[in-house]
Amino acid sequence: SDGSIRLHQMTSEYPLMQWNDSTKGQPIIALQWAVTRPAVFFALDASSNIYIWDLLENDLLPVAKQTIPSERVVTMTLLGEPEKANGLLGIVLAKESGQIDIQYVKKKWALP
């Protein structure tokens, strides 16, 4: 609820990494690992900002931030085919009106 993200290992109650105030205090409403690239995850905050984290490139801050200005995004999910090496990774955004928007991610964050 405060924008903090914690990375846990299943065998420990203590986080391996913790990023405080990663969204400048905005609650995180969705977070998902990339299905095609294990070191990348995406976070959606309550202000419709999507943060892209690539832990191999930078483990302190997100590598990119994209604001969806047109309408509030209420949730997101990722789609892709991890068994294929084509590097296609999409973000499915559900907007407040019920509209669904699919955007494709740059190859550098999608390739295995």
Side-chain angles (χ1 to χ4, degrees):
S1 66
D2 64 358
S4 297
I5 299 173
R6 292 177 193 88
L7 175 64
H8 283 268
Q9 184 175 352
M10 295 297 288
T11 57
S12 174
E13 64 182 282
Y14 302 105
L16 295 172
M17 298 275 303
Q18 181 169 327
W19 300 276
N20 295 320
D21 198 33
S22 63
T23 59
K24 298 187 178 28
Q26 288 295 314
I28 296 172
I29 57 174
L31 190 140
Q32 192 169 10
W33 286 100
V35 293
T36 58
R37 188 175 170 99
V40 174
F41 66 90
F42 297 76
L44 171 67
D45 74 13
S47 295
S48 299
N49 296 304
I50 299 172
Y51 300 84
I52 303 172
W53 293 77
D54 184 344
L55 300 179
L56 296 178
E57 185 177 328
N58 186 341
D59 63 358
L60 299 176
L61 299 167
V63 294
K65 174 185 169 186
Q66 177 68 47
T67 301
I68 309 299
S70 59
E71 186 180 348
R72 191 168 88 83
V73 178
V74 294
T75 193
M76 73 168 184
T77 192
L78 299 177
L79 57 90
E81 297 177 298
E83 63 278 355
K84 293 186 178 178
N86 62 7
L88 283 179
L89 178 65
I91 302 176
V92 181
L93 305 170
K95 297 184 176 180
E96 197 168 41
S97 66
Q99 180 183 5
I100 302 294
D101 189 16
I102 299 174
Q103 298 184 9
Y104 287 96
V105 176
K106 288 182 179 181
K107 293 262 188 203
K108 68 180 184 177
W109 297 313
L111 287 173

